[in-house]
Amino acid sequence: RQQQIPAPAEIPAALLEAEPEAAAEGMIIGTVKAGDYLDRVAVHQLGLRTHGRIELHTEATTPGMAIFRAGAGNVFIPAADLTTARTGSGMVGKFVERDGVILLGWTLGETAVETGFRPRRAEEGRALLQALQATGISTVEGETTA
């Protein structure tokens, strides 16, 4: 039922050595269809929960969000596909304290999705949200319905 969802982009080689605007390490909770925190996207390993690192690149020739995932394929979200960033208490079986998860909204082909990220250090998560806000993406700090 999810076969129409295309594979996410590979991280451009130029970003592998580039200095990010902001970065955070933690747990990539997984990706769900936007607005449905229990509808995990199973294709392309997007629903897997892994440890990893998220980097925001704004000065690169290909700006966007690089998601490095341990034990799963890495994902690149072009800046044009990022739609929202907000905090919440969790998704798909991983729920934590209020505002403990960053929810990144983006489009994958024609499908609106959200990827959950639990930063290991709260200050890195705040810096990532501030950097996203500086790019003009719609950010919301504060609890959202999960």
Side-chain angles (χ1 to χ4, degrees), residues 2 5-6 8 27-50 54 67 69 73 75 77 91-92 102-108 111-117:
Q2 296 179 344
I5 299 174
M27 177 185 290
I28 314 299
I29 297 171
T31 300
V32 299
K33 288 194 176 176
D36 188 348
Y37 297 117
L38 298 177
D39 191 5
R40 187 186 305 260
V41 176
V43 294
H44 315 298
Q45 300 180 318
L46 290 171
L48 294 178
R49 184 175 300 160
T50 67
I54 290 185
I67 303 175
R69 304 183 307 157
V75 174
I77 306 170
M91 63 175 16
V92 290
I102 296 173
L103 301 166
L104 298 170
W106 54 293
T107 55
L108 183 53
T111 305
V113 296
E114 288 182 291
T115 297
F117 175 69

Side-chain angles (χ1 to χ4, degrees), residues 5 14 21 45 49 60 68 71 73 78 91 118 123 132-133 142:
I5 299 174
E21 178 73 25
Q45 300 180 318
R49 184 175 300 160
F68 298 94
M91 63 175 16
R118 166 81 166 152
E123 63 275 4
L132 282 163
Q133 187 175 33

Side-chain angles (χ1 to χ4, degrees), residues 53-136:
R53 176 179 171 85
I54 290 185
E55 296 181 353
L56 176 64
H57 292 271
T58 57
E59 301 298 320
T61 55
T62 309
M65 184 76 65
I67 303 175
F68 298 94
R69 304 183 307 157
N74 297 328
V75 174
F76 179 69
I77 306 170
D81 293 343
L82 283 167
T83 57
T84 61
R86 62 179 185 245
T87 58
S89 60
M91 63 175 16
V92 290
K94 177 67 175 175
F95 291 90
V96 296
E97 77 280 356
R98 181 180 179 99
D99 300 328
V101 172
I102 296 173
L103 301 166
L104 298 170
W106 54 293
T107 55
L108 183 53
E110 295 182 17
T111 305
V113 296
E114 288 182 291
T115 297
F117 175 69
R118 166 81 166 152
R120 184 173 297 146
R121 292 173 207 78
E123 63 275 4
E124 286 181 351
R126 284 190 295 274
L128 186 61
L129 281 170
Q130 289 172 348
L132 282 163
Q133 187 175 33
T135 67

